[in-house]
Amino acid sequence: MAAAAAAAAAADANAVKPMKATSDGIFQGENPLNSALPLAILQICVVVVLTRGLAFLLRPLRQPRVIAEIIGGILLGPSALGRSSAFLNTVFPKESLTVLDTLANIGLLFFLFLVGLELDLRAIRRTGATALVIAVAGIALPFILGIGTSFVLEHTVNRGVSTGPFLVFMGVSLSITAFPVLARILAELKLLTTDLGRMAMSAAAVNDVVAWILLALAIALSGSGSPLVSVWVLLSGAGFVVASFFLLRPILAWMARRSPEGEPVKEIYICATLSIVLAAGFVTDTIGIHALFGAFIVGIIVPKDGPFAGVLLEKVEDLISGLFLPLYFVSSGLKTNVMAIQGRDSWALLVLVVATACIGKIGGTVLASLVVRVPLREAVTLGVLMNTKGLVELIVLNIGKDRHVLNDETFAILVLMALINTFITTPVVMAIYKPARRGAPYKNRTVLRANPDDELRMLACFHSTRNIPTMINLMESSRGTRRRGITVYAMHLVELSERSSAISMVHKARRNGMPFWNKRRNGDGDGDQLVVAFETYQQLSHVSIRAMTAISDLHTIHEDVVTSAHQKRAALIVLPFHKLHQMDGHMESLGEEYQHINQRVLHHAPCSVAILVDRGLGGAAQVPASDVSYNIAVLFFGGRDDREALAYGMRMVEHPGIELHVLRFLPQSGASGADDDEAFLADFRGNVVTRNESARYEEKTYSEKADVVGAIKAAGRCNLFLVGQGAPCVPLADRSTDCPELGPVGSYLALPEFSTVASVLVMKQYDPAAKHYDLVEEVADMAVDVDTPVVRKVNRGE
């Protein structure tokens, strides 16, 4: 009895004591890190700072954030910083790991719910035979090779484990494709809208569902009870899935139907759905197949029509993906000891596992692709993409380690395999596959053209709602009175982020074609809400408008703009200036990335480009056509860009509410203008000024900057200045500027000390004789489909 009591006392002494929830503060003599809440806050902050810092460093390599999170977890574990006992005992003491793992698994639970929300069963059912064959081959071959590799590992580094579960875990770990990570990589590389991207996403969706079924089998087999227990676990899991479809889905569908487009989703519906996620996790954990399965199944059965699923995404993703999910990578990293891989044999096993994973996944996918007649380069690219691993891989490995199917060394080998395979995906795909952008050549690439009655096609870009009123007022001012008027493609430029909702937007855009059309159908609530203003304006005007959304990384979004302009045969691209007008008159920059977008578009554009310095043309709202009353000034110094600006002004003055004032500046030296300038101005004076009382022409001489500035200010009140980017105005060019894309005149007019009310449109004419860095290869015999929007006939009281 005494010996038993002593043993019990010793066990109590060695047991990890529970931590107090909150501390009394340092002034009470307590260390906050000895309490659960302050320590959890510190752990979250350390993890977020480290993983976001690594993501920033890896950004030039175009790596998904999951890579940074896996590396961050490993660095905090016993492989690096965790080798310091002082660091480990201070930031990640043993007594805090239960709270850490609980928070991490809550984050993981809701993240798997988000993954289920991204999977549309209807899309999987519509998966063609080609994608299905590729998916099956991409699972079967690596699964078989994984089983073969497991025999090698079982006789070397993973001795003493149950053979059956280990075989299945190895097969699953090598055959998984990370659906969310693949979607992010495809979107990053602009492949999501291609046939290759469609095939990869369809195959990955099938792969994802099969992988979860196999993982459920592996978990059931890894139980410590009799085989009969495993059968009961599998049957109960299947029963849960069936019950979810027949009992939970009608409830979720009822809530989705009561959440119409344009109305806020009721808070009780959000709360009820999230509670259902937790309850489903509880049920599947009770069954014995992990709480994640319940959350994943609920995400799958949520109806994808209407705004309900999208609102759930927005409510959950930032908190979960930003704060709680990274804790799971740390929880995994604390179990990953790279130093456990010791000796040549262990490192040779790592090479073997990586090679087996690549050969199985890439080889199986390539063979199946060639059988269904996919070209070899596309087949290899598809294989590399399908070899992407990620969070699901870590989930499989962590479950295997928790179930004692994987030991420390095998676990570390498989984690590094997942990291290496995902890391190489983006650079390899970029090296071997560069999809050709092709388009048919077209004639009208400038506003100034031989036949001014030809239709003017514009691509108007905007970043936010602040740009919309001015853009619409500019369109109204530009519509002219010609029989063939103006067609506008209004493109919302959206930065691609790691959010699930961003990938979902790209995913929906992919279904509507390229490049990201919002073709709104009856009952279709997938459209970008910002385009509603343009659609409303189209119904009230004679302007044909197609609203679009481009979602891309800011470093490459110019490619979407340029490609769309060529495909839509645009003559003019209108870009918003990267600085926003503030109430005090100053301009606040959105950041250099937005300035670089404009500069890259200017460099690659297949047509004329205009940059709009928006100071509120027409105010903060759309101005009705009958109320338009603008004074527009064209500052003409000479050159092709100034001629383009004047040609645009000639079109605008056709509007009955616009007055045009052309100021021609002549150097006092008496030098005459170029022949092209003289001929164009003579045409303007003869055909516009003499026939339209709203247009007037004036000449000014100058010798220094003060003459130019005085003449501009003497012109009186002006709503909009039209200037050329390359205007040969030496007096204004003496000022150093951080906005070379505006040219000397535009840079001066954009200064807050010049004006706080007049907007500026800086134009650069397309020069067919100049050297071009085309992003689109022109093919003469290519079919043309420009998707011209139709103007709806409405009664107008003009």
Side-chain angles (χ1 to χ4, degrees):
M1 294 292 291
D12 290 340
N14 293 328
V16 176
K17 295 180 180 179
M19 303 180 76
K20 197 168 66 168
T22 59
S23 73
D24 294 330
I26 57 173
F27 296 109
Q28 298 293 333
E30 282 197 13
N31 182 355
L33 298 184
N34 291 333
S35 302
L37 180 60
L39 184 57
I41 293 172
L42 175 65
Q43 290 169 343
I44 292 173
C45 292
V46 168
V47 172
V48 170
V49 169
L50 178 62
T51 55
R52 291 305 174 104
L54 289 171
F56 176 78
L57 295 176
L58 292 172
R59 195 77 201 95
L61 300 178
R62 303 179 78 171
Q63 293 294 331
R65 198 170 73 204
V66 68
I67 290 291
E69 290 169 332
I70 294 175
I71 294 175
I74 293 174
L75 291 179
L76 290 173
S79 304
L81 295 174
R83 295 180 67 82
S84 166
S85 57
F87 172 82
L88 203 61
N89 293 332
T90 301
V91 183
F92 298 103
K94 287 184 179 179
E95 56 267 26
S96 73
L97 296 185
T98 301
V99 175
L100 177 68
D101 287 344
T102 302
L103 290 174
N105 277 280
I106 288 176
L108 190 61
L109 189 82
F110 281 106
F111 181 78
L112 265 296
F113 169 65
L114 297 180
V115 173
L117 278 178
E118 291 184 61
L119 281 176
D120 190 346
L121 287 181
R122 293 173 303 179
I124 295 177
R125 285 197 297 266
R126 291 194 300 266
T127 298
T130 299
L132 189 60
V133 169
I134 292 171
V136 172
I139 294 171
L141 185 57
F143 191 88
I144 294 170
L145 293 181
I147 292 175
T149 306
S150 67
F151 287 111
V152 178
L153 294 174
E154 192 177 10
H155 290 86
T156 52
V157 297
N158 206 55
R159 297 186 181 94
V161 299
S162 180
T163 301
F166 182 53
L167 297 183
V168 179
F169 268 101
M170 280 297 300
V172 172
S173 64
L174 265 64
S175 60
I176 278 178
T177 296
F179 180 83
V181 180
L182 176 63
R184 182 66 178 80
I185 291 174
L186 288 171
E188 170 78 23
L189 299 179
K190 299 185 186 299
L191 297 177
L192 203 52
T193 59
T194 64
D195 290 339
L196 181 73
R198 174 186 54 77
M199 202 179 306
M201 288 297 287
S202 299
V206 175
N207 189 302
D208 214 28
V209 173
V210 174
W212 282 104
I213 295 172
L214 292 174
L215 181 56
L217 174 64
I219 292 174
L221 292 175
S222 64
S224 57
S226 67
L228 188 60
V229 173
S230 298
V231 174
W232 277 113
V233 169
L234 284 175
L235 291 177
S236 299
F240 169 78
V241 173
V242 173
S244 298
F245 275 90
F246 286 100
L247 299 179
L248 289 182
R249 186 176 175 82
I251 297 173
L252 294 168
W254 179 81
M255 289 189 286
R257 286 195 303 271
R258 294 177 65 88
S259 304
E261 182 71 29
E263 296 290 334
V265 178
K266 292 182 179 179
E267 183 268 343
I268 187 65
Y269 295 164
I270 301 295
C271 181
T273 304
L274 299 183
S275 299
I276 289 173
V277 173
L278 293 173
F282 174 80
V283 172
T284 51
D285 189 77
T286 303
I287 291 172
I289 54 172
H290 210 289
L292 305 179
F293 284 92
F296 180 67
I297 294 298
V298 173
I300 285 179
I301 65 176
V302 170
K304 306 303 187 290
D305 295 327
F308 188 62
V311 171
L312 286 170
L313 267 176
E314 294 173 2
K315 295 288 185 183
V316 176
E317 62 179 343
D318 286 342
L319 179 64
I320 296 301
S321 300
L323 293 183
F324 287 105
L325 187 62
L327 294 179
Y328 188 78
F329 292 94
V330 175
S331 177
S332 176
L334 291 173
K335 304 172 190 173
T336 307
N337 187 2
V338 177
M339 300 304 170
I341 307 175
Q342 295 181 347
R344 283 186 310 176
D345 292 344
S346 295
W347 287 104
L349 288 173
L350 172 61
V351 174
L352 173 66
V353 171
V354 172
T356 304
C358 292
I359 292 171
K361 200 70 174 179
I362 299 174
T365 303
V366 169
L367 289 175
S369 301
L370 294 177
V371 168
V372 294
R373 299 184 179 180
V374 174
L376 179 60
R377 190 177 65 154
E378 282 82 350
V380 175
T381 305
L382 192 58
V384 174
L385 289 167
M386 295 297 289
N387 196 35
T388 302
K389 310 295 181 185
L391 179 61
V392 181
E393 176 82 4
L394 283 189
I395 294 171
V396 173
L397 299 181
N398 276 279
I399 293 175
K401 192 170 191 310
D402 293 340
R403 297 283 177 123
H404 306 291
V405 176
L406 307 175
N407 63 16
D408 289 348
E409 191 169 355
T410 307
F411 180 76
I413 287 173
L414 293 175
V415 168
L416 289 181
M417 178 272 293
L419 180 65
I420 292 169
N421 283 2
T422 306
F423 191 90
I424 65 175
T425 299
T426 300
V428 171
V429 170
M430 290 177 64
I432 66 176
Y433 188 72
K434 296 177 181 178
R437 296 183 179 90
R438 296 182 177 180
Y442 66 102
K443 181 177 65 174
N444 289 327
R445 298 173 183 257
T446 61
V447 178
L448 177 61
R449 72 264 313 259
N451 183 6
D453 289 329
D454 284 347
E455 175 190 39
L456 176 64
R457 306 179 73 90
M458 288 173 54
L459 177 66
C461 304
F462 61 99
H463 296 301
S464 67
T465 53
R466 289 191 58 170
N467 305 128
I468 292 178
T470 295
M471 284 291 183
I472 289 180
N473 292 332
L474 184 66
M475 293 174 198
E476 173 61 30
S477 305
S478 310
R479 63 182 173 89
T481 57
R482 297 174 174 86
R483 183 178 63 84
R484 299 189 64 187
I486 180 173
T487 296
V488 179
Y489 298 91
M491 177 177 275
H492 183 199
L493 305 181
V494 180
E495 180 181 8
L496 177 67
S497 69
E498 294 280 353
R499 288 177 167 179
S500 298
S501 57
I503 302 300
S504 179
M505 288 174 67
V506 179
H507 212 34
K508 292 169 183 174
R510 178 177 64 83
R511 293 201 297 266
N512 289 336
M514 181 178 178
F516 315 127
W517 304 132
N518 280 297
K519 294 181 179 177
R520 297 172 65 89
R521 303 175 177 86
N522 292 333
D524 183 7
D526 294 341
D528 182 351
Q529 295 301 313
L530 289 177
V531 306
V532 173
F534 291 102
E535 295 177 346
T536 303
Y537 169 63
Q538 174 176 266
Q539 296 173 359
L540 302 173
S541 71
H542 293 307
V543 178
S544 304
I545 297 180
R546 169 74 74 206
M548 310 147 52
T549 302
I551 310 166
S552 191
D553 188 272
L554 292 183
H555 293 284
T556 59
I557 201 168
H558 68 281
E559 297 174 8
D560 296 319
V561 175
V562 171
T563 305
S564 299
H566 193 286
Q567 186 181 17
K568 300 301 131 188
R569 308 167 77 82
L572 180 65
I573 300 172
V574 180
L575 300 168
F577 189 44
H578 71 280
K579 295 182 180 181
L580 292 178
H581 182 242
Q582 304 300 309
M583 294 295 292
D584 60 359
H586 286 78
M587 307 289 284
E588 182 177 343
S589 175
L590 293 173
E592 289 185 354
E593 297 91 347
Y594 292 90
Q595 181 181 17
H596 293 158
I597 292 172
N598 293 350
Q599 293 173 345
R600 293 186 186 109
V601 172
L602 283 167
H603 190 64
H604 295 285
C607 59
S608 295
V609 179
I611 298 177
L612 176 62
V613 181
D614 180 11
R615 290 194 177 107
L617 178 64
Q622 176 194 341
V623 177
S626 57
D627 295 339
V628 168
S629 179
Y630 301 145
N631 290 319
I632 296 176
V634 177
L635 307 183
F636 194 97
F637 291 86
R640 63 184 312 116
D641 292 347
D642 281 14
R643 292 196 296 273
E644 186 78 351
L646 180 52
Y648 193 47
M650 291 165 63
R651 183 180 187 93
M652 297 177 82
V653 77
E654 295 175 7
H655 195 290
I658 288 179
E659 293 189 2
L660 179 67
H661 183 191
V662 178
L663 276 173
R664 186 191 184 187
F665 291 88
L666 296 168
Q668 208 167 40
S669 59
S672 60
D675 292 341
D676 290 340
D677 292 339
E678 297 296 340
F680 187 61
L681 289 170
D683 178 71
F684 169 70
R685 291 192 297 267
N687 294 322
V688 178
V689 175
T690 58
R691 299 179 182 179
N692 191 334
E693 296 180 354
S694 298
R696 57 195 178 100
Y697 174 81
E698 188 177 358
E699 292 186 352
K700 298 285 185 180
T701 58
Y702 68 93
S703 61
E704 56 185 17
K705 177 179 177 180
D707 298 333
V708 177
V709 174
I712 296 174
K713 291 186 175 180
R717 175 181 170 273
C718 183
N719 300 103
L720 177 68
F721 284 99
L722 298 178
V723 299
Q725 185 214 44
C729 180
V730 177
L732 294 183
D734 63 352
R735 182 185 178 91
S736 61
T737 176
D738 60 348
C739 306
E741 67 274 14
L742 297 183
V745 181
S747 297
Y748 174 74
L749 296 178
L751 294 175
E753 51 262 35
F754 169 73
S755 174
T756 59
V757 294
S759 297
V760 183
L761 193 67
V762 181
M763 305 195 67
K764 179 177 176 59
Q765 188 184 63
Y766 175 79
D767 184 1
K771 182 179 180 181
H772 294 287
Y773 301 88
D774 296 328
L775 295 177
V776 180
E777 177 188 354
E778 294 191 346
V779 181
D781 57 351
M782 187 171 180
V784 178
D785 177 18
V786 295
D787 185 36
T788 301
V790 178
V791 180
R792 295 180 176 88
K793 299 296 182 181
V794 295
N795 294 324
R796 294 173 51 111
E798 293 184 44

